[in-house]
Amino acid sequence: MNRIFSGIQPTGNLHLGNYLGAIRNWVALQDEFECVFCVVDQHAITVWQDPKDLLRHTREMAAALMAAGLDVEKHILFNQSMVPGHSQLAWIFECVARMGWMSRMTQFKEKAGKDRERVSLGLFAYPALMAADILLYQATHVPVGEDQKQHLELTRDVAQKFNNDFGVEYFPITEPLILGEATRVMSLRDGSKKMSKSDASDFSRINLTDDADTIAQKFRKAKTDPEPLPATVEELEGRPEASNLVGIYAALADMTKAGVLDQVGGRAFSEFKGELTDLAVSVLEPINTRMKVYLEDTDRIDAVLRDGAERANAIAESVIRDVYDIVGFLRV
Ligand code: TYM
């Protein structure tokens, strides 16, 4: 059986990078796989979250995922803290993973910066919880953006070491699915930086909640170089901003970068940005409208998450029972 697991943090500012790198692929994969999608509130609190914002963002994220097209009846959508198995398995994996593995995680190094002594222990252990998320459902495939690749390699190492240490063939060795032409969407202000929820400048990203005027303004102001668009993908080399905008267009239109350049090669950026805006608005506006409708009824969102958690828990409990037996824990 092939099962997908993937997660997203409810930290606000859901952006085009999240949509193109992850959510759009999640929606597309629903026909082929049994899917478990999770709003990872436990991961979010590795850095400080105001409790009221956290709850609001959890609901907003669930609404956005439903608005983007997740089928919450056929598949599972829930928030992480509602299923105790995530914490239970994370602890076991914290005892399987090695300090050295965690110390090499680039995301930890970036987030901790120079202030390593003062970040939470949870931020350091984050990848063990992520491995637990995935393996709690014995997921075989995990669709993510490129920035999560190293965490997925660690998940494979954890599964392998657990299986070796205990002499079992229990956890699958998970395959990452890094799909499409926008696996790493970059900031609109700086082509060398990832588009991110935490960038201080709102002009660095297109938020899923931006209206048409804001999207137009952000693309108009997006950094570019003085040359017109090239005719081939090879010529995008060394032009990070151009490459980023062409990648965004390609992903939104379900095309390849080469196909886009066949159409727009030789044009000035000002013209291309207009077309990009129209395309982005045509994809994002309906999502935005549906999301607002969902958010008018938070009881319904909560009911969807609770129902998802119940179904997730049914899978998780049986895995935890097996794992407790393998590890040698007496259980109820
Ligand atoms: P998060 O919440 O930072 O991002 C959610 C998804 O969006 C992708 N993404 C991007 N893709 C392309 N370009 C970008 N600029 C960009 N920014 C973000 C991410 O790769 C991700 O797929 N640790 C994870 C959440 C998580 C998880 C998991 C994922 C927790 N447990 C288990 C998969 C499996 C995170 O912080 O994603």
Side-chain angles (χ1 to χ4, degrees):
M1 179 204 46
N2 285 328
R3 185 184 282 148
I4 274 181
F5 180 93
S6 202
I8 188 160
Q9 294 195 56
T11 40
N13 295 334
L14 180 62
H15 56 70
L16 193 58
N18 299 128
Y19 179 66
L20 295 177
I23 298 168
R24 197 175 163 86
N25 296 327
W26 299 2
V27 173
L29 290 161
Q30 294 182 110
D31 293 337
E32 259 176 86
F33 292 88
E34 176 192 340
C35 303
V36 183
F37 296 119
C38 186
V39 180
V40 290
D41 49 8
Q42 289 179 296
H43 276 98
I45 65 162
T46 54
V47 298
W48 170 251
Q49 304 293 326
D50 183 288
K52 278 199 257 0
D53 291 340
L54 181 62
L55 184 56
R56 182 168 52 84
H57 289 150
T58 297
R59 290 180 174 136
E60 277 173 11
M61 185 58 75
L65 295 175
M66 289 192 275
L70 289 194
D71 181 343
V72 296
E73 277 169 23
K74 190 163 166 217
H75 301 285
I76 295 177
L77 173 66
F78 72 108
N79 62 305
Q80 189 181 26
S81 58
M82 242 193 292
V83 177
H86 292 261
S87 313
Q88 292 170 314
L89 191 56
W91 177 255
I92 293 168
F93 286 170
E94 280 166 42
C95 301
V96 172
R98 305 288 95 180
M99 291 287 285
W101 301 1
M102 298 296 184
S103 308
R104 283 191 286 276
M105 292 294 114
T106 52
Q107 199 144 329
F108 172 73
K109 288 192 232 171
E110 275 166 26
K111 283 197 179 168
K114 290 197 195 81
D115 220 7
R116 273 203 193 195
E117 295 292 312
R118 295 167 66 91
V119 297
S120 72
L121 183 55
L123 191 68
F124 187 69
Y126 184 114
L129 178 58
M130 193 164 151
D133 298 339
I134 296 165
L135 296 172
L136 187 58
Y137 303 94
Q138 296 184 305
T140 52
H141 296 80
V142 182
V144 283
E146 211 175 271
D147 61 344
Q148 297 300 318
K149 202 170 161 200
Q150 196 186 27
H151 289 157
L152 293 188
E153 279 158 15
L154 187 126
T155 299
R156 293 162 67 97
D157 291 343
V158 167
Q160 205 126 41
K161 187 166 187 298
F162 180 96
N163 289 346
N164 283 345
D165 287 355
F166 294 101
V168 291
E169 290 280 329
Y170 190 71
F171 287 118
I173 308 303
T174 306
E175 288 295 330
L177 295 174
I178 300 174
L179 305 170
E181 289 282 11
T183 56
R184 187 175 175 82
V185 177
M186 308 308 279
S187 156
L188 299 182
R189 307 297 279 167
D190 177 352
S192 67
K193 266 172 53 186
K194 194 176 71 170
M195 186 178 283
S196 126
K197 294 175 193 152
S198 54
D199 197 311
S201 165
D202 203 50
F203 275 87
S204 68
R205 64 182 161 259
I206 304 285
N207 298 311
L208 254 67
T209 48
D210 285 343
D211 61 22
D213 286 346
T214 311
I215 294 176
Q217 207 185 3
K218 286 181 175 176
F219 276 132
R220 216 177 306 123
K221 289 205 172 175
K223 188 176 168 199
T224 44
D225 56 46
E227 302 298 318
L229 283 149
T232 64
V233 174
E234 292 69 44
E235 292 167 277
L236 285 173
E237 190 73 33
R239 299 180 65 185
E241 287 85 13
S243 178
N244 190 37
L245 294 183
V246 172
I248 291 174
Y249 190 104
L252 283 169
D254 269 330
M255 294 170 72
T256 60
K257 280 186 178 182
V260 174
L261 291 177
D262 275 347
Q263 282 179 14
V264 303
R267 286 200 208 155
F269 270 105
S270 50
E271 199 184 329
F272 178 63
K273 283 176 167 181
E275 289 173 31
L276 182 55
T277 299
D278 292 344
L279 176 62
V281 170
S282 75
V283 174
L284 300 184
E285 206 161 50
I287 299 179
N288 202 339
T289 310
R290 284 195 291 272
M291 186 177 161
K292 283 189 188 133
V293 175
Y294 283 125
L295 282 171
E296 279 165 16
D297 188 355
T298 52
D299 285 350
R300 173 156 175 233
I301 297 175
D302 295 359
V304 166
L305 292 174
R306 291 199 175 104
D307 170 66
E310 214 170 287
R311 289 185 283 144
N313 203 37
I315 307 172
E317 273 183 342
S318 89
V319 171
I320 291 295
R321 267 198 300 276
D322 291 346
V323 170
Y324 274 31
D325 288 342
I326 292 169
V327 170
F329 286 166
L330 181 67
R331 59 176 172 78
V332 284

